[in-house]
């Protein structure tokens, strides 16, 4: 089993619309175009543990890996890739574990504190203590209409605190799992949040506006692996696909589109189509598909669903969802970018690897 701690990539993140992604290494950081695989920008000045983009703008939030005094893990640098100059530094007493941004807010996560800044002025709006959060777990919605941040509420169970960071108030607490959280993510519209625990057998999806009610629950089976990342599909309405990477090297896909379609047949009401009759309802295993051995076991990875095309039979009333075509991209911390083309119907998954690129050897003038 490979170890993520020995991998050449120290951090990897997609931007808010998944059109670009950034990686940090011991030598510097690099930005790529997701659609073409083209290397768009690189800077080799030392190690970086956090590199976060703001959509496709020139603004980056970067944190050093601590291998030299100028790249302290306690300093956040807002950096302009066009002028190649720092805009502003923010210094903290302890190491920065996570950074999140949207067009209005900047979030800084430390082990036991969270800071909320107004992005344009960098005025601090809120500071609050958190439970010990050594992994820097944080989910943040890029949508300003549902501008929520999620943080762990406990170190012994998988409860989640949801904050509205535009209004700076606590929205609610979700009792999502019995064991501590391993991963969480918001849908692109901020309406749903998906969570996984360290136990790793259940992935739950909640409707944020009424988060006491669970919308979906997927059982992965008796897996001993840990979920590394979660990602919703790009739908602006009800999410249609949820992807999860794991320490076993498998990638799990949960087809929410088929599940919601089946529910819509059972109920004519809107809530009936998305909220199960029983809160603890676990969806049929037919909605769970696995790409085995997609990544070397033990190597950290991050996946996003970039595109979903639904194939619908319009001759029926209501129209029937027959299949969906999915484009999924994966970054592995041993240095690779993978693009998968998937076809999923109600019963099976077929897939092909469309592209694989070594992120460490691509040069500025070379498109894979």
């Amino acid at each position: 089993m490979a170890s993520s701690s020995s991998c050449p990539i120290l951090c990897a993140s997609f931007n808010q619309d998944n059109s670009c992604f950034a990686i940090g290494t011991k030598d510097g950081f690099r930005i790529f175009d997701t659609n073409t695989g083209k290397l768009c920008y690189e800077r080799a000045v030392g190690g970086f543990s956090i590199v976060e983009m703001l959509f496709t703008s020139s603004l980056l939030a970067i944190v050093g890996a601590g291998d030299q005094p100028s790249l302290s893990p306690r300093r956040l640098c807002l950096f302009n890739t066009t002028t190649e100059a720092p805009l502003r530094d923010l210094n903290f007493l302890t190491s920065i574990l996570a950074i999140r941004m949207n067009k209005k807010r900047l979030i800084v996560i430390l082990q036991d504190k969270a800071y909320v800044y107004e992005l344009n002025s960098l005025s601090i709006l809120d500071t609050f203590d958190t439970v010990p959060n050594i992994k820097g777990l944080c989910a943040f919605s890029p949508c300003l209409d549902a501008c929520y941040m999620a943080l762990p509420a406990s170190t012994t169970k998988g409860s989640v605190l949801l904050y509205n960071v535009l209004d700076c108030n606590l929205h609610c607490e979700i009792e999502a799992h019995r064991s501590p959280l391993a991963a969480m993510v918001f849908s692109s519209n901020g309406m749903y949040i998906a969570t996984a625990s360290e136990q790793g057998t259940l992935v739950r999806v909640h409707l944020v506006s009424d988060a006491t009610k669970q919308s979906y629950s997927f059982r992965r089976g008796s897996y001993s692996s840990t979920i590394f990342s979660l990602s919703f599909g790009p739908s602006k309405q009800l999410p249609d696909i949820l992807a999860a990477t794991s320490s076993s090297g498998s990638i799990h896909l949960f087809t929410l589109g088929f599940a919601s379609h089946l529910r819509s047949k059972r109920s004519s009401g809107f809530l009936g189509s998305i909220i199960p009759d029983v809160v603890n309802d676990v969806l049929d295993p037919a909605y769970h598909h696995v790409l085995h051995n997609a990544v070397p076991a033990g190597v950290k990875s991050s996946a996003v669903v970039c595109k979903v095309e639904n194939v619908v039979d319009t001759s029926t009333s209501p129209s029937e969802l027959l299949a969906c075509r999915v484009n999924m991209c994966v970054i592995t911390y041993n240095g690779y970018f993978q693009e998968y083309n998937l076809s999923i119907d109600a019963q099976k998954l077929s897939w092909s690897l469309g592209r694989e690129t070594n992120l460490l050897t691509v040069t500025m003038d070379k498109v894979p």
Side-chain angles (χ1 to χ4, degrees):
M1 178 179 288
S3 171
S4 288
S5 62
S6 62
C7 287
I9 292 182
L10 304 180
C11 66
S13 63
F14 289 87
N15 68 348
Q16 291 82 355
D17 60 9
N18 298 330
S19 59
C20 296
F21 64 91
I23 64 169
T25 70
K26 63 180 180 61
D27 299 316
F29 62 85
R30 315 184 105 197
I31 298 173
F32 296 83
D33 183 293
T34 305
N35 295 321
T36 65
K38 180 182 178 181
L39 176 61
C40 304
Y41 183 85
E42 64 179 331
R43 188 169 177 84
V45 291
F48 287 88
S49 60
I50 297 175
V51 182
E52 291 287 331
M53 304 179 66
L54 180 64
F55 291 91
T56 54
S57 74
S58 59
L59 180 64
L60 294 181
I62 54 179
V63 177
D67 58 343
Q68 51 185 287
S70 62
L71 295 175
S72 168
R74 300 188 301 274
R75 180 183 299 125
L76 164 63
C77 175
L78 294 177
F79 184 82
N80 188 315
T81 58
T82 301
T83 62
E84 297 198 319
L87 301 172
R88 177 83 178 268
D89 286 349
L90 297 173
N91 294 288
F92 299 87
L93 295 177
T94 61
S95 294
I96 301 165
L97 301 182
I99 300 292
R100 299 289 185 269
M101 289 190 292
N102 65 17
K103 293 178 179 179
K104 292 284 189 180
R105 297 290 183 261
L106 168 69
I107 308 296
V108 180
I109 304 298
L110 310 183
Q111 180 171 314
D112 56 6
K113 284 187 180 295
Y115 296 84
V116 180
Y117 292 86
E118 203 281 324
L119 182 61
N120 290 327
S121 66
L122 287 184
S123 58
I124 189 163
L125 301 176
D126 205 354
T127 304
F128 44 89
D129 296 329
T130 67
V131 300
N133 184 13
I134 60 174
K135 296 179 181 178
L137 285 179
C138 174
F140 188 47
S141 168
C143 179
L144 298 182
D145 294 329
C147 193
Y148 294 105
M149 172 179 65
L151 291 171
S154 171
T155 58
T156 59
K157 61 181 180 179
S159 53
V160 184
L161 288 177
L162 292 184
Y163 293 89
N164 184 319
V165 296
L166 278 187
D167 300 332
C168 292
N169 59 43
L170 176 64
H171 177 64
C172 68
E173 181 174 343
I174 303 173
E175 299 290 340
H177 304 272
R178 294 180 181 177
S179 57
L181 294 167
M184 51 188 174
V185 68
F186 284 103
S187 59
S188 61
N189 58 11
M191 291 177 60
Y192 294 86
I193 183 170
T195 60
S197 72
E198 291 179 353
Q199 183 178 331
T201 56
L202 282 176
V203 175
R204 300 190 189 277
V205 179
H206 284 80
L207 187 64
V208 171
S209 61
D210 192 359
T212 58
K213 294 183 178 179
Q214 178 181 293
S215 297
Y216 295 97
S217 180
F218 295 94
R219 186 178 299 279
R220 293 198 303 136
S222 300
Y223 290 90
S224 60
S225 61
T226 300
I227 292 287
F228 280 144
S229 72
L230 291 167
S231 173
F232 280 109
S235 172
K236 297 297 183 182
Q237 302 299 320
L238 179 67
D240 33 30
I241 296 287
L242 178 65
T245 63
S246 68
S247 59
S248 68
S250 298
I251 299 175
H252 301 262
L253 291 164
F254 307 99
T255 51
L256 282 70
F258 285 109
S260 61
H261 177 75
L262 179 61
R263 285 179 181 169
S264 67
K265 286 185 174 181
R266 295 196 312 230
S267 173
S268 58
F270 173 70
L271 286 179
S273 69
I274 59 174
I275 304 295
D277 297 330
V278 180
V279 170
N280 290 324
D281 179 25
V282 177
L283 292 181
D284 191 294
Y287 303 117
H288 171 212
H289 306 275
V290 184
L291 276 71
H292 294 286
N293 303 317
V295 178
V299 172
K300 189 175 181 181
S301 58
S302 178
V304 296
V305 178
C306 295
K307 186 184 299 183
V308 177
E309 178 186 357
N310 290 324
V311 179
V312 178
D313 183 358
T314 58
S315 65
T316 62
S317 182
S319 58
E320 183 175 0
L321 179 62
L322 301 177
C324 57
R325 311 281 184 256
V326 178
N327 176 259
M328 180 179 70
C329 295
V330 182
I331 303 171
T332 68
Y333 278 54
N334 62 341
Y336 289 88
F337 172 78
Q338 300 169 333
E339 182 181 37
Y340 289 92
N341 298 308
L342 312 149
S343 179
I344 306 171
D345 63 24
Q347 300 298 325
K348 65 180 180 178
L349 163 73
S350 59
W351 60 274
S352 63
L353 179 61
R355 177 172 34 136
E356 183 174 60
T357 304
N358 187 324
L359 297 174
L360 305 175
T361 59
V362 174
T363 58
M364 288 287 286
D365 58 353
K366 180 180 178 182
V367 178

PDB file of all heavy atoms in Angstrom, residues 3 7 41 54 61 97 120 124 147-148 164 188 211 238 264 268 270 303 327 335 352:
ATOM      1  N   SER A   3       1.772   5.293   0.453  1.00  0.00           N
ATOM      2  CA  SER A   3       1.483   6.247   1.525  1.00  0.00           C
ATOM      3  C   SER A   3       1.338   7.631   0.938  1.00  0.00           C
ATOM      4  O   SER A   3       2.191   8.092   0.189  1.00  0.00           O
ATOM      5  CB  SER A   3       2.601   6.231   2.558  1.00  0.00           C
ATOM      6  OG  SER A   3       2.443   7.277   3.481  1.00  0.00           O
ATOM      7  N   CYS A   7       3.875  11.046  -1.131  1.00  0.00           N
ATOM      8  CA  CYS A   7       3.500  11.432  -2.490  1.00  0.00           C
ATOM      9  C   CYS A   7       4.044  12.815  -2.830  1.00  0.00           C
ATOM     10  O   CYS A   7       4.195  13.670  -1.955  1.00  0.00           O
ATOM     11  CB  CYS A   7       1.981  11.413  -2.649  1.00  0.00           C
ATOM     12  SG  CYS A   7       1.287   9.751  -2.711  1.00  0.00           S
ATOM     13  N   TYR A  41      -0.368  27.974 -15.392  1.00  0.00           N
ATOM     14  CA  TYR A  41       0.498  28.826 -14.585  1.00  0.00           C
ATOM     15  C   TYR A  41       1.323  27.945 -13.664  1.00  0.00           C
ATOM     16  O   TYR A  41       0.836  26.919 -13.177  1.00  0.00           O
ATOM     17  CB  TYR A  41      -0.336  29.810 -13.763  1.00  0.00           C
ATOM     18  CG  TYR A  41       0.492  30.781 -12.942  1.00  0.00           C
ATOM     19  CD1 TYR A  41       0.967  31.950 -13.497  1.00  0.00           C
ATOM     20  CD2 TYR A  41       0.796  30.510 -11.610  1.00  0.00           C
ATOM     21  CE1 TYR A  41       1.735  32.841 -12.758  1.00  0.00           C
ATOM     22  CE2 TYR A  41       1.566  31.392 -10.862  1.00  0.00           C
ATOM     23  CZ  TYR A  41       2.030  32.552 -11.439  1.00  0.00           C
ATOM     24  OH  TYR A  41       2.793  33.421 -10.719  1.00  0.00           O
ATOM     25  N   LEU A  54     -10.028  31.299  -6.887  1.00  0.00           N
ATOM     26  CA  LEU A  54     -11.345  31.927  -6.885  1.00  0.00           C
ATOM     27  C   LEU A  54     -11.866  31.905  -8.308  1.00  0.00           C
ATOM     28  O   LEU A  54     -11.516  32.753  -9.132  1.00  0.00           O
ATOM     29  CB  LEU A  54     -11.267  33.362  -6.367  1.00  0.00           C
ATOM     30  CG  LEU A  54     -12.603  34.110  -6.329  1.00  0.00           C
ATOM     31  CD1 LEU A  54     -13.566  33.439  -5.353  1.00  0.00           C
ATOM     32  CD2 LEU A  54     -12.396  35.576  -5.957  1.00  0.00           C
ATOM     33  N   ALA A  61      -5.300  31.981  -2.984  1.00  0.00           N
ATOM     34  CA  ALA A  61      -4.978  31.965  -1.563  1.00  0.00           C
ATOM     35  C   ALA A  61      -3.999  30.820  -1.357  1.00  0.00           C
ATOM     36  O   ALA A  61      -4.318  29.658  -1.625  1.00  0.00           O
ATOM     37  CB  ALA A  61      -6.226  31.762  -0.719  1.00  0.00           C
ATOM     38  N   LEU A  97      -5.015  25.170   8.315  1.00  0.00           N
ATOM     39  CA  LEU A  97      -5.328  23.821   7.856  1.00  0.00           C
ATOM     40  C   LEU A  97      -6.228  23.795   6.623  1.00  0.00           C
ATOM     41  O   LEU A  97      -6.251  22.805   5.903  1.00  0.00           O
ATOM     42  CB  LEU A  97      -5.978  23.026   8.991  1.00  0.00           C
ATOM     43  CG  LEU A  97      -5.139  22.895  10.259  1.00  0.00           C
ATOM     44  CD1 LEU A  97      -5.872  22.056  11.296  1.00  0.00           C
ATOM     45  CD2 LEU A  97      -3.779  22.280   9.947  1.00  0.00           C
ATOM     46  N   ASN A 120     -13.377  41.347  -0.246  1.00  0.00           N
ATOM     47  CA  ASN A 120     -12.850  42.538  -0.907  1.00  0.00           C
ATOM     48  C   ASN A 120     -12.028  43.415   0.030  1.00  0.00           C
ATOM     49  O   ASN A 120     -10.945  43.883  -0.328  1.00  0.00           O
ATOM     50  CB  ASN A 120     -13.992  43.353  -1.513  1.00  0.00           C
ATOM     51  CG  ASN A 120     -14.627  42.657  -2.704  1.00  0.00           C
ATOM     52  OD1 ASN A 120     -13.951  41.960  -3.448  1.00  0.00           O
ATOM     53  ND2 ASN A 120     -15.928  42.833  -2.877  1.00  0.00           N
ATOM     54  N   ILE A 124     -12.441  41.467   9.099  1.00  0.00           N
ATOM     55  CA  ILE A 124     -12.868  40.241   9.766  1.00  0.00           C
ATOM     56  C   ILE A 124     -14.311  40.390  10.240  1.00  0.00           C
ATOM     57  O   ILE A 124     -14.663  41.383  10.892  1.00  0.00           O
ATOM     58  CB  ILE A 124     -11.909  39.866  10.912  1.00  0.00           C
ATOM     59  CG1 ILE A 124     -12.236  38.485  11.445  1.00  0.00           C
ATOM     60  CG2 ILE A 124     -11.915  40.921  12.011  1.00  0.00           C
ATOM     61  CD1 ILE A 124     -11.122  37.886  12.277  1.00  0.00           C
ATOM     62  N   CYS A 147     -25.140  30.691   1.134  1.00  0.00           N
ATOM     63  CA  CYS A 147     -23.713  30.825   1.466  1.00  0.00           C
ATOM     64  C   CYS A 147     -23.436  30.191   2.825  1.00  0.00           C
ATOM     65  O   CYS A 147     -23.329  30.885   3.844  1.00  0.00           O
ATOM     66  CB  CYS A 147     -23.325  32.290   1.442  1.00  0.00           C
ATOM     67  SG  CYS A 147     -21.552  32.586   1.452  1.00  0.00           S
ATOM     68  N   TYR A 148     -23.298  28.871   2.834  1.00  0.00           N
ATOM     69  CA  TYR A 148     -23.132  28.126   4.076  1.00  0.00           C
ATOM     70  C   TYR A 148     -21.714  27.573   4.205  1.00  0.00           C
ATOM     71  O   TYR A 148     -21.070  27.225   3.211  1.00  0.00           O
ATOM     72  CB  TYR A 148     -24.114  26.961   4.137  1.00  0.00           C
ATOM     73  CG  TYR A 148     -25.562  27.390   4.219  1.00  0.00           C
ATOM     74  CD1 TYR A 148     -26.390  27.286   3.104  1.00  0.00           C
ATOM     75  CD2 TYR A 148     -26.100  27.886   5.404  1.00  0.00           C
ATOM     76  CE1 TYR A 148     -27.720  27.681   3.172  1.00  0.00           C
ATOM     77  CE2 TYR A 148     -27.427  28.270   5.482  1.00  0.00           C
ATOM     78  CZ  TYR A 148     -28.229  28.169   4.360  1.00  0.00           C
ATOM     79  OH  TYR A 148     -29.542  28.559   4.439  1.00  0.00           O
ATOM     80  N   ASN A 164     -24.430  30.229   8.323  1.00  0.00           N
ATOM     81  CA  ASN A 164     -24.681  31.144   7.214  1.00  0.00           C
ATOM     82  C   ASN A 164     -23.650  32.261   7.327  1.00  0.00           C
ATOM     83  O   ASN A 164     -23.714  33.086   8.241  1.00  0.00           O
ATOM     84  CB  ASN A 164     -26.101  31.710   7.297  1.00  0.00           C
ATOM     85  CG  ASN A 164     -26.441  32.593   6.112  1.00  0.00           C
ATOM     86  OD1 ASN A 164     -25.630  33.390   5.652  1.00  0.00           O
ATOM     87  ND2 ASN A 164     -27.661  32.467   5.614  1.00  0.00           N
ATOM     88  N   SER A 188     -23.508  22.457  -5.681  1.00  0.00           N
ATOM     89  CA  SER A 188     -23.097  23.740  -6.265  1.00  0.00           C
ATOM     90  C   SER A 188     -24.071  24.867  -5.941  1.00  0.00           C
ATOM     91  O   SER A 188     -23.683  26.035  -5.900  1.00  0.00           O
ATOM     92  CB  SER A 188     -22.945  23.603  -7.785  1.00  0.00           C
ATOM     93  OG  SER A 188     -24.185  23.221  -8.373  1.00  0.00           O
ATOM     94  N   ALA A 211     -32.525  20.705   7.475  1.00  0.00           N
ATOM     95  CA  ALA A 211     -31.452  19.716   7.628  1.00  0.00           C
ATOM     96  C   ALA A 211     -31.731  18.661   8.679  1.00  0.00           C
ATOM     97  O   ALA A 211     -30.963  17.720   8.829  1.00  0.00           O
ATOM     98  CB  ALA A 211     -30.137  20.424   7.952  1.00  0.00           C
ATOM     99  N   LEU A 238     -31.805  19.488  -8.230  1.00  0.00           N
ATOM    100  CA  LEU A 238     -31.501  18.316  -7.419  1.00  0.00           C
ATOM    101  C   LEU A 238     -30.231  17.658  -7.949  1.00  0.00           C
ATOM    102  O   LEU A 238     -30.138  17.357  -9.142  1.00  0.00           O
ATOM    103  CB  LEU A 238     -32.659  17.312  -7.482  1.00  0.00           C
ATOM    104  CG  LEU A 238     -32.473  16.014  -6.700  1.00  0.00           C
ATOM    105  CD1 LEU A 238     -32.459  16.293  -5.208  1.00  0.00           C
ATOM    106  CD2 LEU A 238     -33.561  15.018  -7.046  1.00  0.00           C
ATOM    107  N   SER A 264     -40.229  10.074  -7.435  1.00  0.00           N
ATOM    108  CA  SER A 264     -41.252  10.900  -8.057  1.00  0.00           C
ATOM    109  C   SER A 264     -42.398  10.051  -8.589  1.00  0.00           C
ATOM    110  O   SER A 264     -43.529  10.514  -8.682  1.00  0.00           O
ATOM    111  CB  SER A 264     -40.639  11.732  -9.190  1.00  0.00           C
ATOM    112  OG  SER A 264     -40.228  10.899 -10.255  1.00  0.00           O
ATOM    113  N   SER A 268     -46.617  12.280  -5.824  1.00  0.00           N
ATOM    114  CA  SER A 268     -46.879  13.388  -6.734  1.00  0.00           C
ATOM    115  C   SER A 268     -46.424  14.719  -6.152  1.00  0.00           C
ATOM    116  O   SER A 268     -46.329  15.708  -6.852  1.00  0.00           O
ATOM    117  CB  SER A 268     -48.379  13.466  -7.053  1.00  0.00           C
ATOM    118  OG  SER A 268     -49.117  13.620  -5.850  1.00  0.00           O
ATOM    119  N   PHE A 270     -43.852  17.528  -4.299  1.00  0.00           N
ATOM    120  CA  PHE A 270     -42.443  17.873  -4.448  1.00  0.00           C
ATOM    121  C   PHE A 270     -41.602  17.279  -3.324  1.00  0.00           C
ATOM    122  O   PHE A 270     -40.586  16.635  -3.563  1.00  0.00           O
ATOM    123  CB  PHE A 270     -42.261  19.390  -4.465  1.00  0.00           C
ATOM    124  CG  PHE A 270     -40.812  19.813  -4.453  1.00  0.00           C
ATOM    125  CD1 PHE A 270     -39.998  19.607  -5.556  1.00  0.00           C
ATOM    126  CD2 PHE A 270     -40.270  20.409  -3.328  1.00  0.00           C
ATOM    127  CE1 PHE A 270     -38.667  19.985  -5.531  1.00  0.00           C
ATOM    128  CE2 PHE A 270     -38.940  20.789  -3.304  1.00  0.00           C
ATOM    129  CZ  PHE A 270     -38.153  20.584  -4.404  1.00  0.00           C
ATOM    130  N   ALA A 303     -11.887  13.666  -6.537  1.00  0.00           N
ATOM    131  CA  ALA A 303     -12.641  13.518  -7.779  1.00  0.00           C
ATOM    132  C   ALA A 303     -13.740  14.563  -7.848  1.00  0.00           C
ATOM    133  O   ALA A 303     -14.330  14.937  -6.829  1.00  0.00           O
ATOM    134  CB  ALA A 303     -13.246  12.119  -7.871  1.00  0.00           C
ATOM    135  N   ASN A 327     -18.948  12.782 -17.098  1.00  0.00           N
ATOM    136  CA  ASN A 327     -17.523  13.079 -17.247  1.00  0.00           C
ATOM    137  C   ASN A 327     -16.973  13.377 -15.855  1.00  0.00           C
ATOM    138  O   ASN A 327     -17.425  14.310 -15.188  1.00  0.00           O
ATOM    139  CB  ASN A 327     -17.314  14.273 -18.178  1.00  0.00           C
ATOM    140  CG  ASN A 327     -15.855  14.677 -18.277  1.00  0.00           C
ATOM    141  OD1 ASN A 327     -15.434  15.630 -17.644  1.00  0.00           O
ATOM    142  ND2 ASN A 327     -15.076  13.958 -19.077  1.00  0.00           N
ATOM    143  N   GLY A 335       0.591  12.122  -8.355  1.00  0.00           N
ATOM    144  CA  GLY A 335       1.008  12.975  -9.463  1.00  0.00           C
ATOM    145  C   GLY A 335       0.250  12.841 -10.764  1.00  0.00           C
ATOM    146  O   GLY A 335       0.746  13.316 -11.791  1.00  0.00           O
ATOM    147  N   SER A 352     -14.708   4.217 -19.312  1.00  0.00           N
ATOM    148  CA  SER A 352     -13.431   4.171 -20.017  1.00  0.00           C
ATOM    149  C   SER A 352     -12.571   5.328 -19.518  1.00  0.00           C
ATOM    150  O   SER A 352     -13.086   6.391 -19.144  1.00  0.00           O
ATOM    151  CB  SER A 352     -13.631   4.277 -21.535  1.00  0.00           C
ATOM    152  OG  SER A 352     -14.206   5.528 -21.876  1.00  0.00           O
TER     153      SER A 352
END
